[in-house]
Amino acid sequence: MKTITHRFKSQQGAASLLTALVLLISITLVILLTSKEVLVETKVTADNYRTSQATAAASAAMSQAEAYFMAGGLDQRVNATGAAGADELVDYTSASPLSFNLTVGGQTTTAQFYFDNSDDNACDCQADASKSIDSDGDGDCFGTLGKNMTRALVTAKGWSDDGTAVRTVTQCMGTFDIFDNGDGPKQPFVSKASVGVFGNATIINRYTNSSIWTGGPNDISGAAFATYLRPSNTETSDYTKAELNSDCEVSPCGDPENPGPNTQMVSNKDAGAGIDIITDDATLSSKTADQFFDMFFALTRAQLMKAAENVNQKLPNAAGVTNPNGMTGIIWIDGNLTLNAGNTVGTPTNPSILVVDGDLTLNGGAAVYGVIYITGGIQIAGGALVKGSVIGESNSSSGGGGTLKLVYVPIVGDDQAPPFIVGTGMIVPGSWKDW
């Protein structure tokens, strides 16, 4: 009889069970580790996504801040009411930023921006120390009074849709100079040739001591011609800005908003040309057209025209626009221009730099605030008002029977912060920071 013994059967079953158990534990650990890695990757992906959302929102806020600044600087509204207008206050500050929502793909993020033009901030810079813009004597660009509306540190923030991620970016915004030395003309009227058109003009200048500077003769035969300067033994600091810029030259003015007169007559038809009129100056008449242009502007003709084109103010090439009525800032007229009654170019707080590459006709009721540069002739019909300066480049004849009232208002005074001029806005290179 044959006997069969199974001595290792139980041991073999135990080994299989142990192997299966080890494999099960290993698989479980692999699954757990894989699940944890997936969770971590999911969190990282979610964090990256929300960071990207916050970054995109901050970039959108910065783009909106740039567009806002380029359109009119830091002071475009009355802070108390939100209405359009200037009140010498920065529109959006850290205490009252502009906040808005962005919705993309059904998810909504939040963004905001604000400006800072306070003294000695990250965008402050050393300017001409002789100008006390801020009254603290350090010759910087901003100042404790915060009146400079042409340069600022811009902060833009963006949040993810759930608010857990936030991104902040900053950069400096400012302006470039249009005029040599950043100031502009020092006289109400400058002409490379004669001044026949101003034979019937009333010219008021309470800032400097000259009314007309010309390379040719001055025709003062008009019965209405007269020039007025600030009274002797007085300073500009003796008057308010409204008094200095008033177009009322003879009392009584009778208008609190246009006080005047604070003037003394210097030249007229009967008295002849006084000390405020400089004629036949070869410094002007000997210049070529480009040299004459360069006497006033820091930019070339091509650069100034391009600056106007960049803000869609090169006319009449801009689609649908044939007249600069209501515009401010740099405006280039490619041809002749006629301004009629009711047409207003520039404002007292936002002046224009109006370049007419042709002839200019000013009809009664037209008003221009800022600097007018004319390459051709100028004709006056009726009563027109200019508060700023007029520069004539051409030797062509000018004339007209109208009476122009020209009030000299400097673009930048020695103790004034510069106004923002549309078309001069710029991003300060290398100023972008994000965190």
Side-chain angles (χ1 to χ4, degrees):
M1 182 177 178
K2 186 182 291 185
T3 303
I4 300 175
T5 306
H6 300 281
R7 292 182 298 171
F8 302 106
K9 187 174 182 179
S10 59
Q11 289 87 341
Q12 288 177 342
S16 298
L17 181 60
L18 180 61
T19 301
L21 185 59
V22 169
L23 290 174
L24 180 61
I25 294 173
S26 299
I27 292 171
T28 302
L29 290 175
V30 169
I31 292 173
L32 290 174
L33 291 174
T34 302
S35 299
K36 185 175 182 180
E37 184 175 351
V38 169
L39 289 174
V40 171
E41 288 295 330
T42 301
K43 290 181 179 180
V44 170
T45 301
D47 288 344
N48 289 338
Y49 176 69
R50 290 188 171 89
T51 300
S52 297
Q53 282 186 317
T55 301
S59 296
M62 182 59 74
S63 295
Q64 186 160 336
E66 290 178 13
Y68 187 86
F69 178 79
M70 299 300 180
L74 307 178
D75 183 15
Q76 302 179 47
R77 67 184 186 94
V78 178
N79 292 31
T81 63
D87 59 1
E88 297 187 349
L89 297 173
V90 176
D91 292 338
Y92 300 107
T93 66
S94 58
S96 57
L98 177 63
S99 301
F100 55 94
N101 293 327
L102 300 165
T103 301
V104 179
Q107 295 177 325
T108 300
T109 58
T110 302
Q112 69 173 215
F113 70 82
Y114 56 86
F115 302 106
D116 178 11
N117 73 338
S118 61
D119 197 22
D120 300 324
N121 72 33
C123 293
D124 207 352
C125 64
Q126 293 301 310
D128 184 352
S130 68
K131 295 181 179 179
S132 184
I133 289 175
D134 56 8
S135 301
D136 63 8
D138 62 2
D140 56 14
C141 292
F142 297 134
T144 53
L145 298 181
K147 298 300 184 183
N148 190 332
M149 300 297 169
T150 66
R151 189 178 175 94
L153 172 68
V154 186
T155 300
K157 291 185 177 182
W159 287 264
S160 60
D161 58 341
D162 62 354
T164 59
V166 60
R167 194 76 170 180
T168 302
V169 295
T170 63
Q171 67 178 346
C172 300
M173 295 182 187
T175 59
F176 58 83
D177 287 337
I178 296 180
F179 300 103
D180 280 337
N181 301 319
D183 291 337
K186 297 298 185 183
Q187 298 82 17
F189 182 71
V190 183
S191 174
K192 185 174 178 294
S194 62
V195 199
V197 68
F198 285 88
N200 282 310
T202 298
I203 302 178
I204 305 170
N205 180 6
R206 300 183 181 91
Y207 287 90
T208 64
N209 294 319
S210 58
S211 300
I212 296 175
W213 181 25
T214 174
N218 176 50
D219 177 8
I220 58 173
S221 60
F225 172 82
T227 66
Y228 298 83
L229 295 181
R230 186 179 68 251
S232 301
N233 302 318
T234 64
E235 302 293 335
T236 55
S237 57
D238 296 333
Y239 304 103
T240 66
K241 188 175 181 179
E243 290 171 331
L244 291 170
N245 297 348
S246 169
D247 58 66
C248 178
E249 76 280 5
V250 179
S251 293
C253 296
D255 183 357
E257 298 298 323
N258 186 25
N262 304 313
T263 59
Q264 62 182 18
M265 183 182 292
V266 180
S267 304
N268 63 15
K269 177 185 176 182
D270 297 328
I275 60 173
D276 63 327
I277 298 178
I278 304 170
T279 62
D280 299 304
D281 190 339
T283 304
L284 299 178
S285 61
S286 63
K287 300 289 186 185
T288 66
D290 285 339
Q291 288 172 337
F292 184 78
F293 186 91
D294 291 341
M295 286 181 62
F296 302 97
F297 295 103
L299 307 179
T300 65
R301 292 177 193 269
Q303 289 171 333
L304 189 58
M305 182 173 63
K306 183 62 176 177
E309 189 175 29
N310 288 341
V311 289
N312 296 319
Q313 295 191 167
K314 179 178 179 292
L315 311 177
N317 292 345
V321 180
T322 58
N323 190 295
N325 179 44
M327 290 184 174
T328 65
I330 303 175
I331 306 167
W332 186 283
I333 305 299
D334 193 8
N336 300 331
L337 172 65
T338 298
L339 294 177
N340 297 309
N343 291 160
T344 300
V345 181
T347 70
T349 54
N350 294 106
S352 63
I353 310 299
L354 176 62
V355 180
V356 181
D357 195 7
D359 299 332
L360 172 65
T361 299
L362 290 175
N363 290 322
V368 179
Y369 298 88
V371 175
I372 306 175
Y373 188 96
I374 311 157
T375 65
I378 179 172
Q379 299 289 324
I380 306 296
L385 172 67
V386 175
K387 287 195 173 185
S389 295
V390 177
I391 305 171
E393 173 187 286
S394 176
N395 292 320
S396 64
S397 62
S398 301
T403 301
L404 174 71
K405 182 166 284 189
L406 174 58
V407 183
Y408 177 62
V409 178
I411 290 292
V412 182
D414 290 338
D415 59 349
Q416 297 174 328
F420 185 88
I421 298 175
V422 176
T424 65
M426 62 174 287
I427 305 300
V428 178
S431 63
W432 179 279
K433 294 182 181 180
D434 62 271
W435 61 90

